[in-house]
Amino acid sequence: MKKILFPTDFSTTANNAFIYALNLAKSIDAEIYVLHTFEMPVISTTSAGQPELIQNVYTSIELNHFESFKNEVPKLRAIAEKLNYSNIKLTFLFEEGIMLSILRKIIHEENIDFIVMGTNGNSGFEKKLLGSNTVHVIENIEIPILSIPGKATFKRLNNFGFATMLRETDKAGLNQIIKIASALNADVKVLHVMRQENSKTLETLEEWKNQFNYPNVTFHTVLNERLDDSVFFFIDDQLIDVMCIVKRHLNFFEKIFATSLSKQLSYHADVPVLVLKEKKS
């Protein structure tokens, strides 16, 4: 059985991502570890002489977070029951500390296969996952991460998009996507954007087509200097349900999200992004 780690602050955006996690768990026969973290504030010790007061403050903060945790857990169970997914195993974890460190610990201890997380919200947790902080988490976690925008609505995953620069290190990621898509009876659509015509690139493309000659895999090339425009058109034209990239292209990932948000393109801002570990050559 596969294992999904789902970090949450119990916000609307996170709950929306939880629905994705449930549907994915059902599709691939997985269980979900629901993680809620909090960090203790740093309290000045200039008021030393009253260490018991500081300890009381810390205890009060932890109790408040735990009470909130206890109140929110039944709501997530209710979401699962409403979707008829009450048979999916849910394990709830409550941890104090830096989220990245806790993610690493749980991934190691529980042999987690991948992370599903919500993004594009306004709460404290969501802010941690936006911009450079999102990239920080992705750069430091070695398992696939499925990032769910706040406007995303779960639907059957028919089409996986995979953006590549046709580097050798991207092939492992494409193999992962083909495996996932095949299990879901979905198609994989590979996109390569050329900024200018190049015969060597076309030869490499033919090699890729021969190597990944599967019924559910197609290749799409675009000649355009603007990567973001090409990807937006590709997502729209090919009805992409999940856009997939390897870690090498994180700057590309940031640009796509920043542009889609700034332009208020809701039909682009609702496409989940799956970031895969880059296999070193």
Side-chain angles (χ1 to χ4, degrees):
M1 180 175 284
K2 297 290 186 182
K3 295 182 178 182
I4 298 171
L5 178 57
F6 175 70
T8 180
D9 68 343
F10 304 112
S11 66
T12 301
T13 297
N15 288 350
N16 183 57
F18 181 60
I19 294 174
Y20 252 87
L22 285 169
N23 279 279
L24 197 56
K26 181 66 175 179
S27 300
I28 64 174
D29 188 27
E31 59 181 302
I32 302 175
Y33 288 75
V34 181
L35 170 67
H36 179 66
T37 66
F38 72 99
E39 292 182 40
M40 284 292 190
V42 177
I43 300 177
S44 172
T45 56
T46 55
S47 57
Q50 300 184 48
E52 70 282 354
L53 177 60
I54 295 176
Q55 185 57 49
N56 288 341
V57 171
Y58 279 137
T59 301
S60 177
I61 292 172
E62 183 172 9
L63 285 174
N64 285 337
H65 278 283
F66 186 63
E67 284 300 316
S68 175
F69 175 76
K70 286 199 305 180
N71 290 334
E72 295 295 336
V73 165
K75 296 178 184 178
L76 293 187
R77 291 197 182 279
I79 290 174
E81 290 176 6
K82 185 177 180 180
L83 296 171
N84 294 319
Y85 289 158
S86 54
N87 60 324
I88 294 175
K89 183 180 178 182
L90 300 176
T91 301
F92 291 89
L93 306 171
F94 177 73
E95 299 272 355
E96 183 271 322
I98 299 172
M99 185 174 65
L100 185 58
S101 299
I102 295 170
L103 289 175
R104 283 174 170 163
K105 183 189 75 168
I106 295 172
I107 288 168
H108 175 72
E109 292 177 350
E110 302 296 341
N111 294 315
I112 300 296
D113 294 290
F114 54 94
I115 292 174
V116 176
M117 65 186 192
T119 59
N120 299 354
N122 296 314
S123 75
F125 171 78
E126 290 154 348
K127 286 178 181 177
K128 290 179 185 178
L129 296 179
L130 285 171
S132 61
N133 287 307
T134 303
V135 174
H136 181 62
V137 171
I138 293 170
E139 283 180 334
N140 289 280
I141 296 298
E142 296 302 312
I143 62 175
I145 299 176
L146 181 61
S147 173
I148 311 297
K151 294 181 180 180
T153 302
F154 184 84
K155 53 188 174 182
R156 189 188 183 283
L157 302 181
N158 295 307
N159 298 309
F160 286 77
F162 183 77
T164 176
M165 301 303 291
L166 299 179
R167 294 190 175 98
E168 194 68 24
T169 51
D170 288 357
K171 288 183 177 180
L174 180 53
N175 274 317
Q176 280 184 277
I177 297 306
I178 292 172
K179 186 175 181 180
I180 294 170
S182 297
L184 298 174
N185 196 28
D187 293 327
V188 179
K189 302 186 177 186
V190 183
L191 171 68
H192 174 65
V193 181
M194 293 190 297
R195 289 191 167 128
Q196 59 184 11
E197 291 188 12
N198 186 314
S199 58
K200 187 174 181 180
T201 300
L202 293 176
E203 289 177 8
T204 303
L205 181 62
E206 287 304 313
E207 291 174 6
W208 277 57
K209 287 181 179 179
N210 291 330
Q211 182 173 346
F212 298 100
N213 184 22
Y214 303 109
N216 66 329
V217 179
T218 56
F219 285 81
H220 306 259
T221 56
V222 177
L223 184 63
N224 193 340
E225 291 190 358
R226 292 183 57 88
L227 261 67
D228 51 349
D229 285 349
S230 299
V231 173
F232 290 156
F233 178 79
F234 175 73
I235 290 172
D236 196 26
D237 183 61
Q238 297 298 321
L239 304 177
I240 299 300
D241 300 306
V242 179
M243 197 65 198
C244 310
I245 59 173
V246 294
K247 283 188 180 184
R248 177 190 291 273
H249 310 307
L250 281 178
N251 58 336
F252 173 70
F253 166 80
E254 290 179 283
K255 186 174 183 181
I256 291 301
F257 269 87
T259 306
S260 63
L261 288 171
S262 65
K263 291 183 178 180
Q264 299 287 304
L265 297 176
S266 61
Y267 61 103
H268 292 139
D270 65 2
V271 177
V273 173
L274 178 62
V275 183
L276 303 161
K277 177 183 177 181
E278 180 184 358
K279 184 176 178 61
K280 303 296 182 181
S281 56

